[in-house]
Coordinates of all heavy atoms in Angstrom, one line a residue:
V35 N 95.5 120.0 73.1 CA 95.8 120.4 71.7 C 94.4 120.6 71.1 O 93.3 120.3 71.7 CB 96.3 119.2 71.0 CG1 97.7 118.8 71.5 CG2 95.4 118.0 70.8
D39 N 93.5 119.7 65.2 CA 94.9 119.1 65.0 C 95.0 117.8 65.4 O 95.6 116.9 64.6 CB 95.9 120.1 65.7 CG 96.1 121.5 65.1 OD1 95.7 121.6 63.9 OD2 96.9 122.3 65.6
A40 N 94.5 117.4 66.5 CA 94.5 116.1 67.0 C 93.9 115.1 66.0 O 94.4 114.0 65.7 CB 93.9 115.9 68.4
A42 N 93.4 115.5 62.9 CA 94.3 115.4 61.7 C 95.7 114.7 61.8 O 96.3 114.6 60.8 CB 94.5 116.8 61.2
G43 N 96.0 114.5 63.1 CA 97.3 113.9 63.4 C 98.5 114.8 63.1 O 99.5 114.4 62.8
I44 N 98.2 116.1 63.2 CA 99.3 117.1 63.0 C 100.3 117.1 64.1 O 99.9 117.0 65.2 CB 98.7 118.6 62.8 CG1 97.7 118.6 61.5 CG2 99.8 119.6 62.7 CD1 97.0 119.9 61.4
D45 N 101.6 117.2 63.7 CA 102.7 117.2 64.7 C 102.4 118.4 65.6 O 102.1 119.5 65.2 CB 104.0 117.5 64.0 CG 105.2 117.4 65.0 OD1 105.0 117.9 66.1 OD2 106.1 116.9 64.6
L46 N 102.4 118.2 66.9 CA 101.9 119.1 67.9 C 103.1 120.1 68.3 O 102.8 120.8 69.4 CB 101.3 118.4 69.1 CG 100.2 117.5 68.7 CD1 99.5 116.9 69.9 CD2 99.1 118.2 67.9
G47 N 104.1 120.1 67.7 CA 105.1 121.1 67.9 C 105.9 120.9 69.2 O 106.2 121.9 69.9
F48 N 106.2 119.7 69.5 CA 107.0 119.4 70.7 C 108.5 119.9 70.6 O 109.2 120.0 71.6 CB 106.9 117.9 71.1 CG 105.5 117.5 71.6 CD1 104.7 116.8 70.8 CD2 105.1 117.9 72.9 CE1 103.4 116.6 71.3 CE2 103.9 117.6 73.3 CZ 103.1 116.9 72.6
S49 N 109.0 120.0 69.4 CA 110.4 120.4 69.1 C 111.4 119.5 69.9 O 112.2 120.0 70.7 CB 110.6 121.9 69.6 OG 109.6 122.7 68.8
L50 N 111.2 118.2 69.7 CA 112.0 117.3 70.4 C 113.3 117.1 69.7 O 113.4 117.0 68.5 CB 111.3 115.9 70.6 CG 110.0 116.0 71.3 CD1 109.2 114.6 71.3 CD2 110.1 116.5 72.6
R53 N 116.2 111.2 69.9 CA 116.3 110.5 71.1 C 116.9 109.1 71.0 O 116.6 108.4 69.9 CB 115.1 110.1 71.8 CG 113.8 110.7 71.5 CD 113.6 112.1 71.8 NE 112.4 112.5 71.1 CZ 112.4 113.7 70.4 NH1 113.4 114.4 70.4 NH2 111.3 114.0 69.8
P307 N 105.2 111.7 72.1 CA 104.0 112.0 72.8 C 102.9 112.7 71.9 O 103.2 113.1 70.8 CB 104.6 113.2 73.7 CG 106.0 112.9 73.9 CD 106.5 112.3 72.5
G308 N 101.7 112.7 72.5 CA 100.6 113.3 71.7 C 100.5 112.5 70.4 O 100.5 111.3 70.3
Q309 N 100.3 113.2 69.3 CA 100.0 112.7 68.0 C 101.2 112.4 67.1 O 101.2 112.1 66.0 CB 99.1 113.6 67.2 CG 97.7 113.7 67.8 CD 96.8 112.6 67.6 OE1 97.2 111.5 66.9 NE2 95.7 112.5 68.3
T310 N 102.4 112.6 67.8 CA 103.7 112.6 67.0 C 103.9 111.1 66.6 O 103.5 110.1 67.4 CB 104.9 113.0 67.7 OG1 105.0 112.4 69.0 CG2 104.8 114.6 67.8
V311 N 104.5 110.7 65.5 CA 104.8 109.4 65.0 C 106.3 109.4 64.4 O 106.9 110.4 64.4 CB 103.8 109.0 63.9 CG1 102.5 108.9 64.4 CG2 104.0 109.9 62.7
N312 N 106.7 108.2 64.2 CA 108.2 108.1 63.8 C 109.1 108.8 64.7 O 110.0 109.5 64.3 CB 108.3 108.6 62.3 CG 107.6 107.7 61.3 OD1 107.4 106.5 61.5 ND2 107.2 108.2 60.2
N313 N 109.0 108.5 66.0 CA 109.6 109.4 67.0 C 110.2 108.4 68.1 O 109.8 108.3 69.2 CB 108.6 110.3 67.6 CG 109.2 111.3 68.5 OD1 110.4 111.7 68.3 ND2 108.5 111.7 69.7

Side-chain angles (χ1 to χ4, degrees):
V35 300
D39 284 352
I44 295 174
D45 187 320
L46 302 181
F48 288 101
S49 301
L50 302 178
R53 349 289 167 227
Q309 296 284 355
T310 55
V311 296
N312 292 331
N313 190 32

